[in-house]
Amino acid sequence: MLRWFRWPSFWLWPLMLCLSLLHPINWQAVNDAYRLEATVRGMRMLMIIAPICAAWAAWEAARLRKAKWWHSAHARPPWAIVLNATGPIWWFGASCLVINAIVQLVLVDLAPIPTPLVLLTGLATLAMHIGIGFSFGLWLPAISAVAGVLLLDYLWMVFPNSLSTPWIRHLTGYSIGCCATEYTLAPAFLQAQWLLVVSGLLACWLVWQGFDAVWRVGLALLIGLSGIGLAAQRVQSLDYDPIAERNPSALICSNAAIQLCVWPEHAQRLPALQELANETKQGWQQVNIGFPTVWSESPLQPESSYFVVRKQSSDLDIVRNFAYAMLPATPTCSQQQPYPAYAVQALSLWWLLRQAGVPQAVAQSQLSASDFQLLQQLEQQPREQQLAWFEYNRQALAGCDLAPRFEA
Amino acid sequence: MQFENLSFGYRGKPAIFKQFSWAVPAGRTVLLGPNGTGKSTLLNLAAGVLKPKAGTIQANAKRDVGWMPQNVLAINRLTVHEQVAYAGWLKGLSQAAAWEQAQVALAAVDLTERADDLSKNLSGGQLRRVGLAQTIIHQPSIILLDEPTVGLDPTQRQRFRTILASLPNNHTMLVSTHQVDDLAELFDTVVVLYQGQIRFQGSIEEFLAHAPNASPRPAEAAYAYFIGGDH
């Protein structure tokens, strides 16, 4: 109800806006134009904004508490008073988050529309931080509340990310590794955020009813801790990045003899990729190596070979991806015992690349001198012998028992 | 407003009220009693700030009660106008109505000129008038004033009483005080509360009738009659 310019938060708003505008500038636009990734990157602003907003909310509560207005008898319910006192803070914080997300999207040439669920989760998380800050302000004197909330909240947002326990970082809502185009945010991560938000706000709501009843404070603590426990349980199985494989139904596939299926973010490159695939196929056909007919950017798509495209991928990177797909994946036995065939992995890969038409000079620049010498010797052998060499090493690479062959 | 079989005591302390029943008379009532006898507690209970351990308080809705605490405090960084308007909003007025009514309430307590000053810059007497404006902004049917003149100098107390007398007499007003000289002619009823019980209730004339003849301070003498050595 108070005039907006009367809120101290208003005067700090320009500073927060500057932060939200400057924050993305440090980042180089090398990633794909993936809306989810840009939005998540925008939400990282929570790390800075949430503690500031929570501290302001603590100050608002503390001034009501100091003037003994909070515990007075009002016709308005506590939640309405909190909403009134913290509404502007939330708007200021939310505007910074949204602006940051928009800047991130614009930097990768996307329309400035953040992913709704991620944005909503970020805004709800901001509300939870403000609610908790307000609750501390009702409990502690202004200076202690503001300083304590600012420090503790900032530590909560930053410190877990420095720990080696992966799941702890996913409780802060500050995801640092989402996502390359083949991934999406893990549903468990978002569920955990909402569990924290709901339990946190419910605990705050109980506290706002008054500190006079021990059972109420105890119940609020119980709800808050249960929320953290349930959220931790949800994210426990996640690795350092809270990601899951993207649904392959989003893939866009070409209609050619060699079918390439790419994520929508790479659809514009499809004709060029198709051409590369055709050239590679022709090269490999000459040494009797079959080229798979279906290629996909999703490892979940059945009966397809997996390849990866990035915004900064060169033609060589794409062909290298095709070649990698022709080699067996590193076997699990390599974690327990020696994997001798690893020594010919690079050589095998570059032999494939050379057959696909990659110039010798490129191979020379990227291979070790000894490997390049071996490659040259190999290429002087009859094609049948080269193929036999490759097939043998391909077999060796699939396990840990066969010794590799360096010469044809 | 009516208290029925009310019981209340602060945690770890003896009960102040036990089975206390009382109907607040209509009009303006002054509640007299020494410090610690339960006047502020009774007003806090009436305002809904405290909750009784037993018994009931029959009163109108919270928005029909205006309560001024003993210590009126300024909200940091709010102007007088904003503080009074905020009180109105808390009592259920819309934002626009609260903003408008704050002007009316400030005029009633003669603080229009200080409306744009920060409330923390006001003197104690002015802050008390801000408290009165906060209390009446939503035109409550019950006004509860807890020791409104305590700590004020005689001039400020007289001014506060004048303002109180100028308010329209169309509501129930209960004013607690332990200062007998607050007993001005503006009250219809005098109530003496002592040790959690009503010792006297009647008109000013009936109250003063208990003072010995030719007493130089009849109000104090009558008060002493009811509470004896505690005065």
Side-chain angles (χ1 to χ4, degrees), chain A residues 315-385:
Chain A
D315 287 356
L316 176 63
D317 292 329
I318 301 296
V319 179
R320 198 197 313 252
N321 269 317
F322 289 144
Y324 262 127
M326 304 305 290
L327 297 176
T330 306
T332 50
C333 61
S334 65
Q335 292 167 8
Q336 285 93 36
Q337 62 187 94
Y339 179 43
Y342 179 73
V344 289
Q345 193 182 47
L347 194 57
S348 306
L349 181 76
W350 276 95
W351 180 79
L352 276 173
L353 290 175
R354 288 281 296 128
Q355 306 315 307
V358 174
Q360 198 177 42
V362 178
Q364 189 174 13
S365 68
Q366 299 208 12
L367 272 174
S368 66
S370 56
D371 275 353
F372 181 66
Q373 200 180 352
L374 285 170
L375 183 65
Q376 278 184 312
Q377 287 169 7
L378 190 63
E379 285 176 353
Q380 285 163 6
Q381 304 300 317
R383 282 193 169 169
E384 295 74 27
Q385 238 174 301

Side-chain angles (χ1 to χ4, degrees), chain B residues 155-218:
Chain B
T155 316
Q156 287 176 325
R157 276 158 71 173
Q158 183 52 46
R159 187 163 192 193
F160 194 89
R161 282 198 291 261
T162 307
I163 287 167
L164 218 54
S166 69
L167 296 179
N169 192 4
N170 56 358
H171 39 243
T172 297
M173 183 189 283
L174 183 60
V175 180
S176 79
T177 184
H178 68 280
Q179 292 168 319
V180 182
D181 59 349
D182 275 346
L183 189 63
E185 288 179 359
L186 61 102
F187 293 107
D188 306 310
T189 308
V190 178
V191 172
V192 178
L193 181 72
Y194 186 60
Q195 293 179 342
Q197 295 295 326
I198 301 291
R199 283 285 179 91
F200 171 81
Q201 179 172 333
S203 65
I204 291 184
E205 292 75 23
E206 288 167 339
F207 177 71
L208 294 176
H210 289 85
N213 287 338
S215 171
R217 290 180 173 175

Side-chain angles (χ1 to χ4, degrees), chain B residues 6 18 31 65 82 84 93 136 143 157 169 171 188-189 213:
Chain B
L6 188 84
K18 289 177 190 168
L31 186 64
V65 177
E82 286 167 341
V84 175
L93 295 180
I136 61 171
I143 294 177
R157 276 158 71 173
N169 192 4
H171 39 243
D188 306 310
T189 308
N213 287 338

Side-chain angles (χ1 to χ4, degrees), chain B residues 20-64:
Chain B
F20 177 83
S21 295
W22 181 50
V24 180
R28 294 174 168 182
T29 301
V30 62
L31 186 64
L32 293 173
N35 285 336
T37 202
K39 298 187 303 297
S40 294
T41 304
L42 190 65
L43 261 66
N44 284 348
L45 286 162
V49 179
L50 295 175
K51 285 174 187 158
K53 292 195 171 159
T56 54
I57 301 165
Q58 289 178 8
N60 296 349
K62 274 183 183 171
R63 64 172 57 208
D64 283 334

Side-chain angles (χ1 to χ4, degrees), chain A residues 34-152:
Chain A
Y34 186 20
R35 189 171 303 282
L36 174 68
E37 190 204 13
T39 308
V40 168
R41 214 167 33 239
M43 292 305 107
R44 285 181 201 164
M45 192 72 188
L46 261 176
M47 181 189 66
I48 300 166
I49 293 296
I52 293 174
C53 288
W56 284 348
W59 187 85
E60 291 295 351
R63 73 169 169 169
L64 287 179
R65 172 186 171 272
K66 191 182 175 190
K68 299 195 173 171
W69 277 48
W70 177 256
H71 296 300
S72 192
H74 306 302
R76 303 262 178 202
W79 64 262
I81 300 171
V82 177
L83 215 59
N84 176 261
T86 60
I89 302 172
W90 184 85
W91 278 110
F92 296 159
S95 63
C96 291
L97 279 184
V98 171
I99 286 171
N100 192 23
I102 286 174
V103 172
Q104 301 281 8
L105 288 159
V106 170
L107 278 174
V108 287
D109 301 325
L110 281 172
I113 304 164
T115 308
L117 185 58
V118 175
L119 180 65
L120 203 63
T121 307
L123 297 180
T125 304
L126 177 68
M128 181 195 67
H129 282 263
I130 289 172
I132 291 172
F134 193 90
S135 304
F136 271 88
L138 290 180
W139 180 42
L140 296 169
I143 292 175
S144 322
V146 171
V149 166
L150 190 65
L151 186 70
L152 290 176

